Amino acid sequence: MRIFLRALTTCALLAAALVPVEAATAAPTDAAFNPSTGVLDVDLASYLAKHDVVYNRPNTNNLHGLTVGNGRVGAMAWQQDGLTMQVSGVDTSQQTAFGAGLLNLATTPAMDSGYTTHQQRLSLYDGTLTTRYDDDRTVTVMGSPNSEVMGVHVEDVRGGVRSVVLELGLWDVSQLSNSGDVPNLDTWKTVSTYADSSGAGLSRGQADPQGFGYTLAATVEGASHTAQVVDGRKVRLTITPSRSYTIWFTASSRINAPDRDSVRQARTALNAVKSTGYQTTLTNYRNWWHDFWGRSFVQYSGLGGDADYLENVYYLSTYMIAAGGYGNYPFHFINGVFRATGDNTKWSNSYWYWNQRDVYHSFLASNHVDLVAGFNRSYSRNHDALKAFTRSRYGVDGTWVPETMGWDGNARGTVNSDYTKNIFSTGPEAAFAMYLQYRYTDDLGYLRQTAYPFMRETAKFIQSRFSYDSGTGKYHMVSSNSHETYWNVPNAITDLAAVRSLFPVLIESSRQLGLDADLRPQWQRLLDNLVAYPTDGSAYLPHTPPIAPSRNNENVAVELVWPYNQTGIGHPDQRKAITTWNRRPFPYGNVWAPDAIQAARLGLGDQAYQGMKQMLRQYQNHPNGMTNNTNGVFEYLGVHLSVVNESLMQSYDDRIRVFPAVPGDSSFTGKFTLLAKNGFLVSSEREAGETKYVGLRSLHGKTAGVVNPWGGQQVRVRRAADNAVLLTTTAGEFDLATAAGTTYVVERTAKPLTSYTRTRLTGHVNQDAKSLSGTASTLGLSRTANPMVNNTGLTYDGNWHHTTNRGYGDYDDDTHHSTTSGSVAQHTFTGTGVRYYSERNGDMGPVDVYLDGAFQATVDLRADGPRQARQVVWERSGLSRGQHTLRIVNRSTSVGMVDALYILP
């Protein structure tokens, strides 16, 4: 079902360079619900345009590159000797571990020279990345839908363009490490090339025994060209200058190619898109994205513009994950298809379930179940392998799912790790996610053939891990990991929650399908006699005391709230769950922290809102919306999506709640069309503290459970087609029998929907960078660069630590520090000088400063007496204006620190 497309920062210098997000204007007397379509009436083209990410000056920092993709191939783009992009494909290597290569487009004279105005725009609605120089040069990056092909279209009407060169290349692969867990690393170090009249390409992994590998290739439409092999890892297309031409490029994967022939597949794909032509392909690509956006809608705005910034992050995050989420394999929570660091895969060579769930879980409510299906498929397709390994490792007829799983179901990353080797809850969690896919789609065939078998076998395994205590009459988990944080402990709360989450729906599904009647009594017996959750009386505990040492910073006890759905708003133990959340030992302790999702599930609207701001404050430190944190580059974006959805609408316990966890400030405005369990498109609007109505579009004809959003006020349910009143009640909750394809309106009898003026939601085109108050988080680049660079803007090796909320007067109240001799912090900037800010204190020591590779000085950060914050400890001016690199090296095991840099223009 589609929505019909009718059609103050911490530094004064930063405030001058960036504009706060404009707050939405509340109009409590109108409503945008369209009874004929059953969803909100939104001009999505104009609405999403206000969330475009805009760079109003050239970006030369690869880590700040904007992201563009068609679901199967993606690229990060920045400006370095022309347009440079790192291209990656979802299915080109195991767990998307290795990048596909670099693409560089350069002209003479340079595209980015001799201009007055510049703007690069990531258009979310169209899915395009467009760079304009004055009125005579435009470069548009777009894609071909449902393919592994992308394109760069150039309109260049300048006179005197003498040359156009496109190069495809690879970084030095000779030192490649096996971070991808590939069986034959040599084939990934081996590069082959071709160049002929059709185009040019390079290939890697052609002998990968698991069928991965790819060919990165390009051709040209609209201009003649010649091709050549430059060297063993670079090919070139020399293009005859033309006013209009399109470069088509592909990262064609072997695993998706007939006969595993990625070279032939690349040639075929490029010929096909070239024959279709740029204009038709662009139209098809835009329509693909328009259809994507038409499936749901959220507005989360107000609060002086800060909520609007959160809404911008919501739409950008949705785009980024979808732009790399439609391959055969999942969008990896770190690798993804968007990075600009060669083959650097950070630390993961597998799919961590805990982390991957964050990327995907929000897409059920946002009506993109096809994205979630891809994630679930990575487990269901490996069911036989998982079951066989379970029999080998445990001697059990059932399915154990490793927390850390390779693309083919291997458990190498789990069984060799004390953190994960004894986690038993992952299987039931994965099985429950498959069950939810059924509950949102009503696909009985999927339940019977895929979800239920997986549910049954994971239940059989975890059931085998419990022991019966005849003295208490209870089943206990003798020893397992309470996820990664507490090792080999009794009655891990994650195991108990997994059983209480999965087994009731397993039993229900067994009856519904008429299967396994002999197993139901066993499942029911375990469920009925399962030991109670560990608790100290006022809060839940991660396992039976005494509490084991912490090995990671997960708030395990709050997992009951989300994702296990065992408690929340209206549950008898809600107060205990809130106390558990308030006492959690690691608040917002990592980039994957789901704290704010859990706050929303508990009805803590202000905490959910502040939690989103806190996560962005800590982690969103690149103007493209991304993070430099290596624990979950895309994961925290998925967390943000879930918080917004859960704040606006919840249906996890089969009761539809609208605005269950929004901020208490009356300036907040919330509007949405989201998908609820059992297939209901739910729409509602809230302004000036008032919820106006609830619209329900029934997709499958199920019974809807609805929580009265007006408490004890009388409400009526009206069928939109004929205005027949089907129910009048003052109950706090009620059930509504529905017919498929029918729209219903829940409204106050005293103030029905018809008392509001009909309106259509629109927006305005964003033209500048945005900032989130009280943080260093920004989206986009202003024409004038902010001279202050917070410590989060530098790059670090693995020996630095980020600390926040210091309270000493540091810039943005945070620093990076290291106690490892030789640890390196680095930043590349454009300007004529730089100032280095740090604290000075008695526990601090010397650091060496290098500029453009040359040693400058040893700076001693030690100082007696009180701690000194925001000190200029080294500076240099009078440099030639251009790109320079500052390098700071800690010289001892005393504290070396970076607070901020100031760039002289």
Side-chain angles (χ1 to χ4, degrees), residues 617 803-815 899:
R617 182 182 184 279
T803 57
T804 61
N805 302 313
R806 292 176 63 76
Y808 297 131
D810 303 302
Y811 179 70
D812 203 37
D813 201 24
D814 68 339
T815 64
D899 178 12

Side-chain angles (χ1 to χ4, degrees), residues 148 444 833-834 884:
E148 293 179 320
L444 192 62
V834 59
H884 302 279

Side-chain angles (χ1 to χ4, degrees), residues 34-177:
N34 186 337
S36 64
T37 62
V39 295
L40 294 182
D41 190 0
V42 186
D43 179 354
L44 283 173
S46 67
Y47 193 90
L48 285 177
K50 70 180 182 177
H51 294 316
D52 290 351
V53 181
V54 174
Y55 282 5
N56 279 326
R57 68 177 188 274
N59 166 47
T60 58
N61 187 335
N62 59 330
L63 299 178
H64 296 174
L66 288 176
T67 53
V68 59
N70 69 349
R72 299 177 66 186
V73 174
M76 278 184 74
W78 66 98
Q79 286 162 295
Q80 177 182 314
D81 302 322
L83 171 69
T84 297
M85 299 192 294
Q86 178 166 325
V87 181
S88 293
V90 180
D91 300 326
T92 52
S93 61
Q94 292 87 338
Q95 291 88 225
T96 324
F98 303 138
L102 294 172
L103 179 153
N104 176 260
L105 173 65
T107 66
T108 305
M111 189 78 70
D112 49 357
S113 66
Y115 64 88
T116 302
T117 61
H118 164 282
Q119 188 179 83
Q120 186 174 66
R121 174 179 298 275
L122 176 60
S123 169
L124 301 180
Y125 184 60
D126 288 340
T128 55
L129 178 64
T130 302
T131 309
R132 300 184 188 278
Y133 306 88
D134 293 339
D135 294 324
D136 56 5
R137 281 153 286 173
T138 303
V139 180
T140 301
V141 185
M142 39 73 73
S144 174
N146 305 309
S147 78
E148 293 179 320
V149 178
M150 298 283 291
V152 180
H153 181 72
V154 179
E155 298 283 344
D156 188 352
V157 299
R158 294 176 298 166
V161 177
R162 298 188 298 277
S163 71
V164 179
V165 175
L166 176 87
E167 289 186 341
L168 301 178
L170 277 169
W171 37 89
D172 183 4
V173 298
S174 64
Q175 302 302 312
L176 182 67
S177 66

Side-chain angles (χ1 to χ4, degrees), residues 839-846 860-868 892-897:
E839 294 178 7
R840 292 186 188 271
N841 195 44
D843 63 347
M844 303 179 72
D860 193 350
L861 302 180
R862 187 182 184 282
D864 295 329
R867 183 184 299 270
Q868 304 169 30
S892 71
T893 56
S894 297
V895 175
M897 181 175 288

Side-chain angles (χ1 to χ4, degrees), residues 35 107 153 240 272 315 406 421 597 662:
T107 66
H153 181 72
T240 301
Y315 281 109
K421 66 184 180 183
I597 309 175
V662 295

Side-chain angles (χ1 to χ4, degrees), residues 4 17 99 119 124 234 244 255 269 272 275 324 400 488 505 529 536 553 563 595-596 653 749 756 770 897:
F4 292 113
Q119 188 179 83
L124 301 180
K234 183 181 292 184
S244 177
I255 210 157
S275 297
W400 170 75
N488 304 315
V505 298
N529 297 286
D536 65 2
N553 55 351
D595 303 34
D653 59 353
T749 304
Y756 295 93
K770 300 177 181 179
M897 181 175 288

Side-chain angles (χ1 to χ4, degrees), residues 271-543:
N271 286 336
V273 73
K274 190 173 176 179
S275 297
T276 301
Y278 167 70
Q279 288 296 339
T280 299
T281 302
L282 177 62
T283 298
N284 293 340
Y285 178 71
R286 285 172 170 165
N287 288 342
W288 187 85
W289 275 109
H290 298 173
D291 178 76
F292 174 88
W293 292 117
R295 295 175 182 269
S296 61
F297 171 81
V298 303
Q299 179 178 343
Y300 188 101
S301 64
L303 293 98
D306 281 356
D308 300 72
Y309 188 97
L310 302 183
E311 180 185 309
N312 201 149
V313 174
Y314 178 94
Y315 281 109
L316 175 60
S317 302
T318 299
Y319 170 80
M320 208 178 298
I321 294 171
Y326 284 98
N328 251 330
Y329 294 94
F331 187 109
H332 194 276
F333 68 100
I334 290 179
N335 301 334
V337 293
F338 298 125
R339 62 187 187 276
T341 53
D343 284 329
N344 179 14
T345 60
K346 312 234 173 26
W347 54 270
S348 171
N349 59 19
S350 298
Y351 298 105
W352 255 253
Y353 196 90
W354 172 290
N355 308 78
Q356 289 292 149
R357 71 186 188 186
D358 291 342
V359 177
Y360 278 97
H361 275 5
S362 73
F363 287 100
L364 290 172
S366 58
N367 197 18
H368 297 293
V369 186
D370 49 351
L371 270 173
V372 181
F375 170 49
N376 286 338
R377 189 165 55 246
S378 63
Y379 290 87
S380 62
R381 65 154 45 114
N382 287 311
H383 193 189
D384 290 344
L386 294 170
K387 189 171 172 63
F389 186 81
T390 304
R391 189 177 297 112
S392 171
R393 185 183 187 201
Y394 293 101
V396 171
D397 180 26
T399 299
W400 170 75
V401 177
E403 173 64 17
T404 307
M405 188 187 79
W407 69 276
D408 58 354
N410 76 72
R412 284 189 293 275
T414 291
V415 297
N416 296 319
S417 168
D418 288 334
Y419 284 89
T420 57
K421 66 184 180 183
N422 291 324
I423 294 177
F424 299 149
S425 56
T426 304
E429 190 176 348
F432 188 73
M434 294 180 196
Y435 174 76
L436 287 180
Q437 181 178 329
Y438 157 68
R439 287 295 300 273
Y440 277 81
T441 61
D442 199 37
D443 185 346
L444 192 62
Y446 175 78
L447 176 66
R448 180 182 296 275
Q449 297 158 22
T450 303
Y452 178 78
F454 202 92
M455 295 161 63
R456 178 187 61 216
E457 297 306 308
T458 55
K460 287 163 65 176
F461 170 76
I462 200 168
Q463 181 180 13
S464 74
R465 299 293 92 189
F466 281 91
S467 296
Y468 182 70
D469 184 335
S470 59
T472 63
K474 297 294 182 182
Y475 287 92
H476 297 257
M477 179 64 72
V478 176
S479 179
S480 68
N481 281 18
S482 194
H483 218 265
E484 293 192 21
T485 301
Y486 307 97
W487 298 353
N488 304 315
V489 295
N491 295 320
I493 198 167
T494 45
D495 293 330
L496 305 182
V499 169
R500 290 190 169 100
S501 177
L502 177 63
F503 276 49
V505 298
L506 172 65
I507 294 167
E508 175 189 333
S509 298
S510 169
R511 290 195 182 101
Q512 180 182 0
L513 297 172
L515 298 172
D516 299 318
D518 57 324
L519 296 178
R520 274 180 239 145
Q522 302 175 30
W523 297 332
Q524 192 67 58
R525 185 162 52 250
L526 174 61
L527 192 60
D528 291 343
N529 297 286
L530 192 63
V531 66
Y533 293 126
T535 178
D536 65 2
S538 59
Y540 291 113
L541 302 176
H543 62 85

